[in-house]
Amino acid sequence: MISAYTAVTERLSRADWLLPTLARLVFAGTLLTYFWVSGLTKLGGGLVGLFQPSVGAYAQIFPKAMEAVTYDTSQLSLYHWAVVVAGTWAEFILPALIVLGLLTRLSALGMIGFIIVQSLTDLIGHGGFEHKETFGAWFDRFPDSVILDQRSFWIFVLLVLVIKGAGPVSLDNALRGRSTQT
């Protein structure tokens, strides 16, 4: 029994392709659509909406600043516009790069930063600290808080990609193979 267990676990230890491939699959299955739909809510109308975010985009990212200017985006600075546009684009570009396995480590690192900023915005800007069930607590037997529980799993999946890379079924791997041939 022990030798069978050892044989199986040794095979799994050598399966370097498995963990990053599954991490990208889990990300695609659970978070790709979440971020893309969130990004869509931030776009303004038409093609110029890529550069003119919706009022809701500003309200999601800078809730207290928007409240202070009574939701008039013209009173916000170039900094606010740049952050909202960059954040909106990041919600489309970074998840797509992760799923394709292109610049995976850098994209996963960018998503980790995005999730940290998103979480801080939810806690500080949207009052998440006031709702204990939103913030949650580790080791409390309730695995359903949005911030500490769910987002720690998101970050863990992304950390796998930062550490292990995209795996063999990826554009990173295809480009690496191509560059070693030339």
Side-chain angles (χ1 to χ4, degrees):
M1 184 79 142
I2 292 174
S3 62
Y5 173 78
T6 302
V8 169
T9 57
E10 283 180 8
R11 279 193 195 136
L12 284 174
S13 295
R14 289 190 303 269
D16 288 336
W17 63 272
L18 186 60
L19 195 57
T21 303
L22 289 176
R24 285 182 38 238
L25 179 65
V26 167
F27 180 87
T30 59
L31 293 174
L32 175 69
T33 311
Y34 169 84
F35 283 109
W36 279 5
V37 168
S38 177
L40 285 171
T41 67
K42 293 174 178 73
L43 295 176
L47 193 55
V48 295
L50 290 170
F51 301 97
Q52 294 178 347
S54 68
V55 172
Y58 288 93
Q60 287 178 45
I61 296 173
F62 293 108
K64 291 185 178 190
M66 283 295 285
E67 191 175 318
V69 298
T70 60
Y71 298 92
D72 178 7
T73 59
S74 68
Q75 295 184 51
L76 296 176
S77 69
L78 180 62
Y79 165 78
H80 292 96
W81 172 84
V83 169
V84 171
V85 169
T88 300
W89 289 7
E91 286 191 284
F92 293 111
I93 295 169
L94 295 175
L97 290 173
I98 289 169
V99 171
L100 294 171
L102 181 61
L103 304 172
T104 306
R105 285 184 163 109
L106 184 61
S107 300
L109 199 57
M111 282 303 307
I112 290 169
F114 187 96
I115 291 167
I116 290 169
V117 170
Q118 173 190 25
S119 298
L120 290 172
T121 301
D122 288 344
L123 292 171
I124 298 165
H126 294 290
F129 280 127
E130 298 164 16
H131 305 283
K132 187 176 179 177
E133 66 280 357
T134 299
F135 182 63
W138 282 355
F139 311 108
D140 66 350
R141 82 177 172 91
F142 300 109
D144 58 353
S145 72
V146 173
I147 306 297
L148 279 182
D149 294 332
Q150 290 180 21
R151 293 188 187 163
S152 60
F153 277 107
W154 298 2
I155 289 174
F156 180 77
V157 167
L158 292 163
L159 276 173
V160 168
L161 296 173
V162 169
I163 294 165
K164 301 293 266 175
V169 183
S170 65
L171 290 175
D172 284 345
N173 191 51
L175 292 173
R176 188 178 316 107
R178 188 169 216 150
S179 70
T180 58
Q181 292 174 356
T182 56

